[in-house]
Amino acid sequence: MWAYLKDLLDSDSLSPHGICLLWRPELIWTHVVSDFLIGASYFSIPVFLGYLVWKRPDISFNWVIWCFAVFILACGTTHFFSIWTLWAADYGVEAIIKVVTAAASIATAVLLWPLLPKALSWPSPTQLAAANGELIALVAERDAALAALRREAGERARAEEMLRQAQKMEALGQLTGGVAHDFNNLLTVISMNLDRIERASPAAVEGVLARSVHHARSAAEKAGSITARMLAFARKEPINPKPFDVRTAVRDIEPFLRDVVRGQNNLVLDFSEAPCPAFADPHQFDNAVLNLAINARDALAEGGEVRISVAPDAGFVRIEVCDDGVGMNEDVRARAFEPFFTTKSVGKGSGLGLSQVFGFVQQSHGEIAIESTVGKGTRVIMRLPQMERTA
């Protein structure tokens, strides 16, 4: 073996390749430049492949890329050695390099052919684009499902909040109704006894006694008014619903509304041209609109505006009372319909106005809501049915 290698590497009896080319410069330098460029290109390719595998370790069959790198590196070495043998007859070393190159090429080929079925199964750019399109569609579908789920969760939360609010208002209504009923019985007894006093001794009710009876009767009437409002909130006050035109009803009480919104404030009426019939108690409706106008006025700064709008709304009549006053925060808005709840100072409000409106609308099988923004104003929306409805 050693003797074979010694003979292989012995170049004493050999001539350099340049002699075969008769040392003609045009041939020599054409070979030199061509082999150098080819060798340099071969040497750059393994650098590229090695950097690719280093940065992308997830590439399938990356060991095949390393085999290609060794094979191409050996090919490049043969070209550089071809330049060397133009002047030095080291053909034995060149042969060894070619043997290494041959071994690398055979190993690469042997390892590469079994991978052909797997390589053919790789998706084409068209298939990848189609798969990517399907993935985008699935992501869009998932995002839409998530958005729908969030909306459903939000609607469920709002429904639960509305249910809790309705339960709270129902409980308050039962309590208020019970108290108002008992209180009304006591007022009835007081009023009956005052009547008996007036009828029993007409002469005796002169002077101080007459004034006392008058003050007692006045107090009983005011208490009766409060009781009526409490019963309205509790939906136990008898009402007399009938068809009426809402626009006409508001116009009839317009003088009272302008007296309510007095001073530097302005009242604006905005009526739809379409008919606006409602089925409710007209007198209770007048009281409700007046109550809302009073609340709107109290929320105004000087120079503010109260706007009352009336328009048909899908089987209902929509009545809006708006102001551009101080507005309500969320906590106040949530409690606005509770009886005896008020943000006004002592002596300026009983806290029963909005609760009476709430009771009237509920008893009329309508709907009522408040929209408000602090610093921008409040909108109270009543929707009364256009025809008789059953519970």
Side-chain angles (χ1 to χ4, degrees):
M1 183 66 179
W2 290 110
Y4 174 78
L5 289 175
K6 183 178 179 181
D7 292 339
L8 182 65
L9 297 175
D10 183 12
S11 60
D12 292 340
S13 60
L14 300 175
S15 299
H17 191 216
I19 293 176
C20 297
L21 301 177
L22 301 178
W23 300 109
R24 288 171 55 180
E26 68 276 10
L27 292 175
I28 294 295
W29 289 109
T30 300
H31 278 278
V32 169
V33 172
S34 299
D35 283 327
F36 178 80
L37 293 177
I38 295 172
S41 298
Y42 274 151
F43 269 54
S44 69
I45 294 173
V47 174
F48 167 80
L49 294 176
Y51 186 77
L52 175 64
V53 173
W54 176 50
K55 288 294 186 179
R56 289 291 306 275
D58 58 312
I59 295 177
S60 300
F61 314 125
N62 54 13
W63 52 271
V64 175
I65 296 178
W66 286 116
C67 291
F68 268 114
V70 172
F71 166 60
I72 295 170
L73 188 63
C75 290
T77 304
T78 62
H79 283 276
F80 281 121
F81 215 81
S82 293
I83 298 173
W84 174 259
T85 57
L86 286 172
W87 287 277
D90 293 328
Y91 299 117
V93 178
E94 184 180 24
I96 293 174
I97 293 173
K98 288 186 176 181
V99 169
V100 173
T101 304
S105 62
I106 292 172
T108 302
V110 169
L111 296 173
L112 185 62
W113 277 102
L115 298 179
L116 182 59
K118 294 182 180 179
L120 292 175
S121 67
W122 290 345
S124 65
T126 303
Q127 291 173 319
L128 288 174
N132 190 50
E134 292 178 1
L135 181 60
I136 291 173
L138 288 174
V139 171
E141 184 178 350
R142 184 206 64 178
D143 291 343
L146 287 175
L149 183 61
R150 292 192 189 98
R151 287 195 300 271
E152 183 180 350
E155 291 173 358
R156 180 176 179 179
R158 286 192 293 272
E160 290 176 349
E161 179 61 28
M162 291 174 63
L163 177 60
R164 286 193 294 269
Q165 182 69 11
Q167 291 173 339
K168 181 176 71 174
M169 298 298 282
E170 185 67 24
L172 285 171
Q174 292 177 356
L175 175 62
T176 303
V179 172
H181 184 268
D182 292 342
F183 189 43
N184 194 54
N185 290 339
L186 295 174
L187 289 175
T188 301
V189 174
I190 293 172
S191 297
M192 289 174 61
N193 280 281
L194 289 173
D195 287 339
R196 291 180 63 187
I197 292 173
E198 288 180 330
R199 290 195 303 270
S201 52
V205 294
E206 299 292 337
V208 175
L209 182 57
R211 287 193 298 273
S212 297
V213 170
H214 174 73
H215 293 324
R217 182 177 294 282
S218 177
E221 289 174 353
K222 290 180 179 179
S225 176
I226 293 176
T227 303
R229 294 185 180 186
M230 293 169 67
L231 288 171
F233 170 76
R235 288 178 284 175
K236 294 182 178 179
E237 184 184 27
I239 62 173
N240 183 26
K242 61 181 68 174
F244 70 97
D245 185 77
V246 173
R247 297 173 303 177
T248 303
V250 176
R251 286 196 184 98
D252 289 343
I253 62 172
E254 182 178 353
F256 301 102
L257 292 172
R258 295 199 178 277
D259 288 340
V260 165
V261 188
R262 59 188 176 276
Q264 301 299 318
N265 299 318
N266 186 30
L267 174 67
V268 178
L269 301 182
D270 181 15
F271 295 157
S272 168
E273 295 182 0
C276 297
F279 191 86
D281 189 319
H283 300 296
Q284 292 288 342
F285 172 78
D286 293 347
N287 290 333
V289 173
L290 285 170
N291 270 321
L292 294 179
I294 291 171
N295 279 342
R297 176 206 66 195
D298 292 343
L300 291 176
E302 187 173 319
E305 178 181 279
V306 175
R307 176 180 293 271
I308 301 177
S309 304
V310 178
D313 183 11
F316 288 82
V317 177
R318 183 185 181 97
I319 305 100
E320 295 184 3
V321 180
C322 313
D323 66 72
D324 51 8
V326 296
M328 306 178 187
N329 60 36
E330 187 60 28
D331 292 338
V332 173
R333 189 194 66 79
R335 299 187 60 192
F337 292 129
E338 293 182 12
F340 304 111
F341 175 78
T342 180
T343 58
K344 300 175 184 178
S345 58
V346 177
K348 293 189 175 181
S350 65
L352 287 171
L354 284 178
S355 66
Q356 184 267 334
V357 176
F358 176 85
F360 158 69
V361 174
Q362 293 293 308
Q363 203 166 0
S364 301
H365 306 295
E367 300 171 358
I368 186 167
I370 296 178
E371 299 174 358
S372 187
T373 302
V374 175
K376 294 186 177 180
T378 299
R379 178 192 307 269
V380 180
I381 304 165
M382 290 191 297
R383 297 177 74 238
L384 296 177
Q386 291 185 335
M387 60 184 65
E388 184 176 1
R389 296 173 182 243
T390 58

